[in-house]
Protein backbone atom coordinates (compact mmCIF):
# COMPACT_ATOMS: atom_id res chain seq x y z
CA UNK A 1 0.00 0.00 0.00
CA UNK A 2 1.29 3.43 -0.93
CA UNK A 3 0.69 6.12 1.65
CA UNK A 4 0.88 9.88 1.19
CA UNK A 5 2.14 10.94 4.57
CA UNK A 6 1.74 14.70 4.59
CA UNK A 7 2.48 17.91 2.84
CA UNK A 8 4.16 20.95 4.39
CA UNK A 9 5.73 24.17 3.22
CA UNK A 10 9.38 23.58 2.43
CA UNK A 11 10.48 26.83 4.00
CA UNK A 12 9.49 25.47 7.41
CA UNK A 13 12.48 23.14 7.19
CA UNK A 14 12.96 19.58 8.33
CA UNK A 15 14.22 20.36 11.82
CA UNK A 16 11.42 22.84 12.54
CA UNK A 17 8.86 20.27 11.38
CA UNK A 18 10.35 17.59 13.61
CA UNK A 19 10.52 19.96 16.58
CA UNK A 20 6.86 20.88 16.14
CA UNK A 21 5.97 17.22 15.72
CA UNK A 22 7.54 16.23 19.01
CA UNK A 23 5.69 19.06 20.80
CA UNK A 24 2.35 18.15 19.23
CA UNK A 25 2.85 14.46 19.88
CA UNK A 26 3.56 15.17 23.55
CA UNK A 27 -0.04 16.06 24.42
CA UNK A 28 -1.91 13.30 26.27
CA UNK A 29 -5.69 13.30 26.69
CA UNK A 30 -5.62 11.03 29.75
CA UNK A 31 -7.60 12.28 32.73
CA UNK A 32 -5.46 14.36 35.18
CA UNK A 33 -5.70 11.72 37.94
CA UNK A 34 -4.33 9.05 35.56
CA UNK A 35 -1.76 11.10 33.67
CA UNK A 36 1.92 10.31 34.20
CA UNK A 37 4.51 12.32 32.30
CA UNK A 38 7.14 10.42 30.31
CA UNK A 39 10.16 11.35 28.24
CA UNK A 40 9.44 11.96 24.56
CA UNK A 41 12.57 11.38 22.46
CA UNK A 42 13.00 11.62 18.69
CA UNK A 43 16.24 10.77 16.89
CA UNK A 44 16.96 9.98 13.24
CA UNK A 45 20.44 8.79 12.26
CA UNK A 46 21.17 9.59 8.61
CA UNK A 47 23.64 8.32 6.03
CA UNK A 48 23.96 9.11 2.36
CA UNK A 49 23.01 12.70 1.49
CA UNK A 50 23.27 14.11 5.00
CA UNK A 51 25.90 11.95 6.66
CA UNK A 52 28.03 15.03 7.29
CA UNK A 53 25.25 17.12 8.82
CA UNK A 54 24.95 17.42 12.59
CA UNK A 55 21.84 15.50 13.60
CA UNK A 56 20.03 16.69 16.74
CA UNK A 57 18.34 14.59 19.38
CA UNK A 58 14.98 16.09 20.36
CA UNK A 59 14.13 15.53 24.02
CA UNK A 60 10.86 16.61 25.60
CA UNK A 61 8.22 15.15 27.90
CA UNK A 62 4.56 14.31 27.51
CA UNK A 63 2.01 16.88 28.67
CA UNK A 64 -1.60 16.59 29.75
CA UNK A 65 -4.20 18.65 27.89
CA UNK A 66 -4.24 21.01 30.88
CA UNK A 67 -0.54 21.91 30.52
CA UNK A 68 1.21 24.27 28.14
CA UNK A 69 3.68 22.21 26.05
CA UNK A 70 7.29 23.41 25.84
CA UNK A 71 9.62 23.00 22.87
CA UNK A 72 12.34 21.08 24.72
CA UNK A 73 13.38 19.67 28.10
CA UNK A 74 16.65 20.58 29.79
CA UNK A 75 18.74 18.43 32.12
CA UNK A 76 18.86 15.15 30.17
CA UNK A 77 21.91 12.94 29.63
CA UNK A 78 21.87 11.65 26.04
CA UNK A 79 24.14 8.80 24.90
CA UNK A 80 24.38 6.93 21.57
CA UNK A 81 26.84 4.11 20.92
CA UNK A 82 27.73 1.24 18.61
CA UNK A 83 30.15 -1.64 18.99
CA UNK A 84 31.89 -0.35 15.86
CA UNK A 85 32.67 3.07 17.39
CA UNK A 86 35.70 3.69 19.61
CA UNK A 87 33.72 5.84 22.08
CA UNK A 88 30.20 6.50 23.28
CA UNK A 89 28.78 9.71 21.80
CA UNK A 90 27.57 12.27 24.32
CA UNK A 91 25.11 15.07 23.60
CA UNK A 92 24.43 18.43 25.27
CA UNK A 93 21.53 20.84 24.90
CA UNK A 94 22.31 23.68 22.50
CA UNK A 95 20.47 26.09 20.22
CA UNK A 96 21.79 25.93 16.64
CA UNK A 97 20.17 27.92 13.81
CA UNK A 98 17.18 28.59 16.04
CA UNK A 99 16.58 24.90 16.89
CA UNK A 100 16.96 23.90 20.55
CA UNK A 101 17.93 20.25 20.89
CA UNK A 102 20.76 17.97 22.05
CA UNK A 103 23.81 17.96 19.76
CA UNK A 104 26.83 15.67 19.84
CA UNK A 105 29.78 17.10 21.78
CA UNK A 106 32.30 14.28 21.21
CA UNK A 107 32.29 14.01 17.39
CA UNK A 108 31.43 16.35 14.53
CA UNK A 109 29.36 13.72 12.69
CA UNK A 110 27.67 10.47 13.75
CA UNK A 111 29.52 7.71 11.83
CA UNK A 112 26.63 5.42 10.83
CA UNK A 113 27.12 2.64 8.26
CA UNK A 114 24.68 0.21 6.66
CA UNK A 115 23.79 -2.85 8.76
CA UNK A 116 25.21 -1.26 11.92
CA UNK A 117 23.32 -1.57 15.22
CA UNK A 118 23.18 1.58 17.35
CA UNK A 119 21.83 2.03 20.87
CA UNK A 120 20.32 5.09 22.55
CA UNK A 121 19.97 5.94 26.24
CA UNK A 122 18.38 9.09 27.66
CA UNK A 123 18.53 9.69 31.41
CA UNK A 124 16.67 12.43 33.28
CA UNK A 125 16.36 12.63 37.10
CA UNK A 126 12.58 13.20 36.92
CA UNK A 127 11.62 10.44 34.49
CA UNK A 128 12.18 6.79 33.63
CA UNK A 129 15.25 6.06 31.51
CA UNK A 130 14.59 5.76 27.77
CA UNK A 131 16.39 3.01 25.84
CA UNK A 132 16.21 2.13 22.16
CA UNK A 133 17.99 0.33 19.32
CA UNK A 134 18.10 0.76 15.55
CA UNK A 135 19.66 -1.27 12.73
CA UNK A 136 20.74 1.10 9.94
CA UNK A 137 19.55 0.26 6.39
CA UNK A 138 22.24 -0.62 3.88
CA UNK A 139 23.15 1.80 1.12
CA UNK A 140 21.43 1.40 -2.25
CA UNK A 141 21.52 2.96 -5.72
CA UNK A 142 19.00 4.70 -7.98
CA UNK A 143 19.17 3.00 -11.40
CA UNK A 144 16.72 5.26 -13.24
CA UNK A 145 16.43 8.14 -13.80
CA UNK A 146 20.00 9.39 -13.87
CA UNK A 147 20.92 12.96 -12.99
CA UNK A 148 20.18 15.21 -15.98
CA UNK A 149 17.49 12.98 -17.51
CA UNK A 150 14.16 14.38 -18.70
CA UNK A 151 11.25 12.32 -17.36
CA UNK A 152 7.46 12.21 -17.38
CA UNK A 153 4.72 10.85 -15.13
CA UNK A 154 4.65 7.75 -17.36
CA UNK A 155 8.20 6.78 -16.38
CA UNK A 156 9.12 4.63 -13.40
CA UNK A 157 11.58 5.27 -10.61
CA UNK A 158 13.90 2.24 -10.42
CA UNK A 159 16.33 1.56 -7.57
CA UNK A 160 18.01 -1.39 -5.90
CA UNK A 161 16.39 -2.51 -2.68
CA UNK A 162 18.19 -1.77 0.57
CA UNK A 163 18.92 -4.62 2.96
CA UNK A 164 17.59 -4.07 6.50
CA UNK A 165 15.09 -1.52 5.17
CA UNK A 166 11.50 -1.90 6.33
CA UNK A 167 10.24 0.60 3.76
CA UNK A 168 11.00 3.68 1.70
CA UNK A 169 10.14 7.36 1.72
CA UNK A 170 10.05 9.57 -1.38
CA UNK A 171 10.03 13.34 -0.93
CA UNK A 172 9.18 15.82 -3.66
CA UNK A 173 8.48 19.55 -3.99
CA UNK A 174 5.55 21.01 -5.86
CA UNK A 175 3.92 24.38 -6.51
CA UNK A 176 0.38 25.09 -5.37
CA UNK A 177 -1.37 28.48 -5.29
CA UNK A 178 1.92 30.35 -5.46
CA UNK A 179 3.62 28.46 -2.61
CA UNK A 180 6.21 25.67 -2.66
CA UNK A 181 5.14 22.60 -0.69
CA UNK A 182 6.80 19.29 0.09
CA UNK A 183 5.07 15.95 -0.11
CA UNK A 184 6.12 12.53 1.20
CA UNK A 185 5.13 9.07 -0.02
CA UNK A 186 5.83 5.97 2.12
CA UNK A 187 5.67 2.35 0.98
CA UNK A 188 6.95 -0.98 2.37
CA UNK A 189 9.98 -2.93 1.16
CA UNK A 190 7.78 -5.69 -0.23
CA UNK A 191 5.30 -6.27 -3.03
CA UNK A 192 2.87 -3.45 -3.88
CA UNK A 193 -0.57 -4.44 -5.22
CA UNK A 194 -0.83 -3.80 -8.95
CA UNK A 195 2.93 -3.54 -9.53
CA UNK A 196 5.35 -6.31 -10.62
CA UNK A 197 7.57 -7.65 -7.83
CA UNK A 198 11.34 -8.03 -8.06
CA UNK A 199 13.40 -9.24 -5.11
CA UNK A 200 16.39 -7.05 -6.01
CA UNK A 201 14.85 -3.94 -7.62
CA UNK A 202 11.96 -1.63 -6.78
CA UNK A 203 9.99 -0.04 -9.66
CA UNK A 204 7.49 2.71 -8.92
CA UNK A 205 5.50 4.83 -11.44
CA UNK A 206 6.36 8.49 -10.90
CA UNK A 207 2.77 9.72 -11.00
CA UNK A 208 3.53 12.42 -8.41
CA UNK A 209 5.36 14.30 -11.18
CA UNK A 210 1.91 15.59 -12.18
CA UNK A 211 2.12 17.96 -9.20
CA UNK A 212 5.58 19.45 -9.75
CA UNK A 213 6.59 22.53 -11.69
CA UNK A 214 8.14 21.71 -15.10
CA UNK A 215 11.07 23.45 -16.77
CA UNK A 216 13.43 23.60 -13.81
CA UNK A 217 15.86 21.18 -12.08
CA UNK A 218 13.95 18.87 -9.75
CA UNK A 219 15.64 16.83 -7.01
CA UNK A 220 14.13 13.42 -6.37
CA UNK A 221 15.06 12.03 -2.94
CA UNK A 222 14.58 8.38 -1.95
CA UNK A 223 15.19 7.25 1.64
CA UNK A 224 15.43 3.66 2.92
CA UNK A 225 13.95 3.48 6.44
CA UNK A 226 14.63 1.15 9.33
CA UNK A 227 11.66 -0.60 10.98
CA UNK A 228 11.37 2.00 13.77
CA UNK A 229 11.18 5.05 11.53
CA UNK A 230 8.91 3.34 9.00
CA UNK A 231 6.47 2.39 11.78
CA UNK A 232 6.56 5.89 13.24
CA UNK A 233 6.18 7.77 9.93
CA UNK A 234 3.52 5.50 8.45
CA UNK A 235 1.65 5.14 11.73
CA UNK A 236 1.41 8.88 12.31
CA UNK A 237 -0.03 9.29 8.81
CA UNK A 238 -2.67 6.60 9.20
CA UNK A 239 -3.63 7.48 12.78
CA UNK A 240 -4.08 11.26 13.11
CA UNK A 241 -5.06 10.84 16.77
CA UNK A 242 -1.52 9.57 17.45
CA UNK A 243 -2.37 6.88 19.99
CA UNK A 244 0.29 5.37 22.26
CA UNK A 245 1.14 2.53 19.87
CA UNK A 246 2.03 5.04 17.17
CA UNK A 247 3.92 7.30 19.59
CA UNK A 248 6.37 4.55 20.57
CA UNK A 249 8.47 3.09 17.76
CA UNK A 250 11.46 1.18 19.14
CA UNK A 251 11.44 3.21 22.38
CA UNK A 252 11.20 1.69 25.88
CA UNK A 253 10.73 3.72 29.06
CA UNK A 254 9.00 6.58 27.24
CA UNK A 255 7.60 7.55 23.85
CA UNK A 256 9.05 8.71 20.53
CA UNK A 257 11.25 7.11 17.90
CA UNK A 258 14.89 6.14 17.42
CA UNK A 259 15.27 5.50 13.71
CA UNK A 260 17.84 5.45 10.93
CA UNK A 261 17.67 6.13 7.19
CA UNK A 262 19.86 6.03 4.10
CA UNK A 263 19.17 8.64 1.39
CA UNK A 264 19.97 8.79 -2.30
CA UNK A 265 18.99 11.45 -4.83
CA UNK A 266 19.11 12.48 -8.47
CA UNK A 267 18.30 15.76 -10.23
CA UNK A 268 16.04 15.53 -13.27
CA UNK A 269 13.84 17.68 -15.52
CA UNK A 270 10.10 17.13 -15.92
CA UNK A 271 8.46 17.23 -19.33
CA UNK A 272 6.02 20.08 -19.84
CA UNK A 273 3.09 17.78 -20.67
CA UNK A 274 3.52 15.75 -17.45
CA UNK A 275 3.05 18.43 -14.82
CA UNK A 276 0.15 20.47 -13.58
CA UNK A 277 -2.55 17.79 -13.90
CA UNK A 278 -3.74 17.34 -10.34
CA UNK A 279 -5.76 14.14 -10.27
CA UNK A 280 -5.80 10.61 -8.89
CA UNK A 281 -3.87 7.80 -10.52
CA UNK A 282 -5.21 4.46 -9.35
CA UNK A 283 -2.71 1.61 -8.88
CA UNK A 284 -4.87 -1.27 -7.76
CA UNK A 285 -5.51 -0.60 -4.05
CA UNK A 286 -2.76 2.02 -3.82
CA UNK A 287 -2.99 5.59 -5.08
CA UNK A 288 -1.38 9.00 -4.90
CA UNK A 289 -4.00 11.56 -3.81
CA UNK A 290 -2.94 15.18 -3.81
CA UNK A 291 -4.13 16.81 -0.62
CA UNK A 292 -3.46 20.33 0.42
CA UNK A 293 -2.13 20.63 3.93
CA UNK A 294 -3.50 22.99 6.55
CA UNK A 295 -1.64 26.25 6.70
Amino acid sequence: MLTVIRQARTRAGFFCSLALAITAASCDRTAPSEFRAELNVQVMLRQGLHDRVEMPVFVNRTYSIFEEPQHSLAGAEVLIWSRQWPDTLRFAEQTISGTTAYYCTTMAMIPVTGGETCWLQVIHPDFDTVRARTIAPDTFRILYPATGDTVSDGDSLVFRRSRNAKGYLISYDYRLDGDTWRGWIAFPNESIPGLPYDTAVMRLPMVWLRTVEPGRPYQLVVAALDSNYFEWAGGRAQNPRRDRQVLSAGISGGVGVFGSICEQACTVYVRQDSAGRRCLRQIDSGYFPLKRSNR
Side-chain angles (χ1 to χ4, degrees):
M1 184 68 178
L2 303 168
T3 304
V4 173
I5 292 186
R6 65 181 63 191
Q7 282 87 32
R9 292 188 182 184
T10 57
R11 59 174 172 261
F14 169 78
F15 293 136
C16 291
S17 298
L18 191 55
L20 291 173
I22 190 173
T23 301
S26 298
C27 296
D28 194 310
R29 296 186 177 275
T30 307
S33 59
E34 303 174 3
F35 175 75
R36 178 175 174 270
E38 299 175 285
L39 286 178
N40 187 355
V41 179
Q42 294 186 17
V43 195
M44 184 173 66
L45 305 181
R46 306 174 85 169
Q47 53 175 317
L49 297 182
H50 300 90
D51 57 356
R52 296 188 177 276
V53 177
E54 282 192 311
M55 298 309 301
V57 175
F58 292 97
V59 179
N60 208 328
R61 48 157 289 203
T62 55
Y63 299 86
S64 75
I65 60 174
F66 303 99
E67 296 179 287
E68 183 68 28
Q70 304 299 312
H71 289 290
S72 63
L73 178 70
E77 180 185 26
V78 179
L79 307 173
I80 297 179
W81 68 92
S82 165
R83 293 193 178 100
Q84 299 182 33
W85 303 346
D87 299 301
T88 296
L89 304 187
R90 298 181 178 274
F91 295 71
E93 189 180 34
Q94 304 176 54
T95 299
I96 297 179
S97 300
T99 299
T100 300
Y102 287 77
Y103 291 85
C104 187
T105 59
T106 51
M107 294 187 69
M109 282 82 65
I110 301 177
V112 183
T113 57
E116 184 175 9
T117 301
C118 301
W119 285 267
L120 165 75
Q121 180 173 278
V122 180
I123 302 173
H124 193 284
D126 300 330
F127 303 94
D128 290 343
T129 297
V130 163
R131 294 181 175 87
R133 184 189 72 164
T134 179
I135 301 177
D138 281 351
T139 187
F140 63 100
R141 185 163 61 94
I142 297 176
L143 303 177
Y144 180 84
T147 292
D149 283 351
T150 298
V151 297
S152 72
D153 62 343
D155 294 324
S156 291
L157 169 68
V158 184
F159 58 89
R160 294 197 181 278
R161 294 180 185 267
S162 166
R163 290 189 305 170
N164 303 318
K166 181 67 173 179
Y168 302 94
L169 191 72
I170 294 176
S171 63
Y172 59 97
D173 296 341
Y174 64 94
R175 298 283 296 175
L176 182 62
D177 296 337
D179 284 326
T180 298
W181 299 75
R182 172 156 293 177
W184 291 272
I185 300 170
F187 51 96
N189 189 18
E190 55 190 41
S191 62
I192 298 176
L195 298 178
Y197 179 72
D198 188 313
T199 57
V201 174
M202 177 73 75
R203 293 178 174 86
L204 194 68
M206 294 188 288
V207 295
W208 64 88
L209 293 181
R210 296 184 175 195
T211 67
V212 306
E213 183 179 6
R216 65 178 179 87
Y218 166 73
Q219 187 180 51
L220 178 63
V221 180
V222 182
L225 314 180
D226 80 318
S227 58
N228 295 342
Y229 196 74
F230 183 76
E231 176 188 350
W232 185 81
R236 286 171 60 85
Q238 299 174 33
N239 191 335
R241 292 181 300 176
R242 303 184 178 96
D243 61 23
R244 181 178 177 82
Q245 182 179 4
V246 174
L247 279 171
S248 297
I251 294 281
S252 66
V255 297
V257 61
F258 179 45
S260 53
I261 71 173
C262 178
E263 296 172 295
Q264 299 295 329
C266 61
T267 301
V268 298
Y269 294 86
V270 180
R271 283 176 48 183
Q272 185 73 35
D273 59 354
S274 297
R277 297 177 292 171
R278 298 197 295 270
C279 61
L280 296 181
R281 166 73 177 268
Q282 198 74 26
I283 306 179
D284 198 358
S285 61
Y287 57 89
F288 296 86
L290 173 63
K291 296 180 180 179
R292 184 176 179 178
S293 61
N294 295 326
R295 297 194 179 189

